[in-house]
Amino acid sequence: MTSATIEVHLVEDDLLSALRSDVLTGLTSSPKVLPPKWFYDARGSELFDQITRLPEYYPTRTESALLHRSAGEIAALAKPDILVELGSGSAEKTRTLLTALDSLRMFVPQDFSPAALEEAATAVKSEYPHLVVHGVVSDFTETLHNLPGGGSRMIAFLGGTIGNFAPDERAEFLSSIRAVLQPGEQLVLGAGLVIDESVLVPAYDDAAGVTAEFNRNVLRVINSRLGGNFDPDAFRHVARWDAQNNWIEMRLEATKAMTVRIEDLDLDVQFAAGEQMRTEISAKFTTDGLRSELATAGFETTHIWTDDLDRFALVLATAR
């Protein structure tokens, strides 16, 4: 069995440079903000895995069940040669598509973590030895042009991650996906739907406090990678529903006035007692809104599948 290949477009120095830039920009902004991708060191990934198994956190299990239910229909409507998954992580859910899409000859998992990508690519190659598995280490927001071509492609962007983009960022990202696809090539998009606040908020503020630890992990990443002296326990996890923007905001709230030193940036950051710093948005959608945003980006919506409670959607869209 030929092993999976890994193509690297993002090395450790690139990640460190991006972290420095994001932290410097975010902690000197008003209000302060940090991008959610920096939650994910080894500890952050472990915590998120725990989150996906919590009773309050419905998105992962809902999307997984929806994939199992709709994979056959997706396969009947689309017969790609190449499946590209952006932000693949373990590629666990993607196996449902890999099994259903019998036309596939290549799987291209993409992630910014080399270790996670190599593990996922090796596992997929072992389970699907007939597939060429070509991993790409990159930041999917910047290196879509590096994705392999040479056949009819389908790009999968699952997990509701599209909700982590603000509307203007989302429009730019969807347009950039369209720009690398040929007419007739496809996108499978997983997106959370707008539902009752009483269900949404606990999904991001669980009773066991796992999400709170996950949120505070971004501070530990800054401490370990940039010489910060954040006291994570001095920050309270906050999750709130913004009905005007249709998104959940996760924030960290300073429980006291403090000064934080970031040695690598030669930066001292002042926090007032009660000051909040946004660490993530998770936008939720309507099916009509998804169709509209995809149309603006140059896609025609082929089909939308939703679960029985209308909490999550899978969209198959075709590049015009």
Side-chain angles (χ1 to χ4, degrees):
M1 180 183 72
T2 304
S3 62
T5 60
I6 305 294
E7 181 179 337
V8 178
H9 295 280
L10 190 69
V11 297
E12 184 62 27
D13 285 350
D14 298 324
L15 285 171
L16 190 57
S17 177
L19 176 61
R20 286 191 181 110
S21 177
D22 286 346
V23 171
L24 179 61
T25 300
L27 293 185
T28 56
S29 298
S30 183
K32 297 179 180 69
V33 61
L34 289 171
K37 67 181 179 181
W38 302 117
F39 291 138
Y40 295 95
D41 62 353
R43 175 60 174 157
S45 296
E46 178 185 329
L47 286 166
F48 185 71
D49 183 63
Q50 292 178 34
I51 287 169
T52 65
R53 303 171 197 279
L54 292 169
E56 298 98 329
Y57 195 79
Y58 65 88
T60 299
R61 62 177 174 269
T62 303
E63 182 184 39
S64 181
L66 192 54
L67 271 169
H68 278 282
R69 194 172 77 185
S70 57
E73 293 178 73
I74 293 172
L77 291 167
K79 300 186 181 300
D81 301 316
I82 301 171
L83 176 64
V84 178
E85 184 179 16
L86 303 180
S88 62
S90 67
E92 184 176 344
K93 285 180 293 189
T94 321
R95 288 163 170 76
T96 304
L97 287 175
L98 294 177
T99 299
L101 296 169
D102 54 14
S103 61
L104 281 185
R105 62 176 178 81
M106 179 184 288
F107 174 52
V108 182
Q110 177 280 332
D111 204 272
F112 78 91
S113 168
L117 187 64
E118 185 168 357
E119 183 177 347
T122 300
V124 168
K125 183 63 181 176
S126 176
E127 293 175 46
Y128 302 88
H130 65 287
L131 287 179
V132 174
V133 179
H134 184 101
V136 177
V137 178
S138 68
D139 183 333
F140 59 67
T141 61
E142 298 176 3
T143 58
L144 287 169
H145 60 281
N146 290 315
L147 299 174
S152 174
R153 289 174 299 177
M154 173 188 285
I155 291 180
F157 192 46
L158 303 173
T161 308
I162 190 66
N164 293 148
F165 294 91
D168 57 339
E169 297 169 334
R170 195 162 65 234
E172 182 179 356
F173 178 62
L174 290 173
S175 294
S176 68
I177 292 178
R178 172 60 190 90
V180 301
L181 293 177
Q182 298 298 316
E185 293 186 324
Q186 290 155 322
L187 169 67
V188 173
L189 182 67
L193 298 177
V194 175
I195 60 172
D196 192 86
E197 182 179 351
S198 65
V199 177
L200 274 171
V201 173
Y204 296 86
D205 192 13
D206 61 278
V210 181
T211 309
E213 281 304 297
F214 177 66
N215 195 6
R216 284 189 284 263
N217 197 62
V218 69
L219 306 181
R220 297 187 175 95
V221 169
I222 293 171
N223 285 351
S224 64
R225 301 296 302 280
L226 299 182
N229 70 346
F230 275 104
D231 175 6
D233 293 333
F235 287 83
R236 184 175 72 90
H237 169 68
V238 177
R240 60 181 292 273
W241 172 244
D242 182 335
Q244 182 175 352
N245 289 304
N246 280 346
W247 65 45
I248 288 278
E249 283 194 7
M250 290 207 324
R251 302 176 178 180
L252 289 171
E253 180 181 286
T255 58
K256 61 184 179 182
M258 68 188 91
T259 300
V260 175
R261 175 72 178 170
I262 315 291
E263 288 290 350
D264 283 16
L265 301 177
D266 191 22
L267 179 67
D268 292 306
V269 185
Q270 306 294 325
F271 285 88
E275 181 179 354
Q276 293 187 350
M277 172 172 59
R278 192 176 77 187
T279 53
E280 183 179 64
I281 63 168
S282 184
K284 307 304 175 185
F285 302 87
T286 65
T287 53
D288 285 345
L290 287 166
R291 285 191 185 92
S292 176
E293 291 195 35
L294 286 164
T296 299
F299 288 94
E300 180 179 348
T301 297
T302 304
H303 196 85
I304 298 180
W305 296 265
T306 62
D307 65 288
D308 292 339
L309 296 176
D310 287 331
R311 292 181 174 184
F312 207 92
L314 279 176
V315 185
L316 178 63
T318 303
R320 290 199 297 260

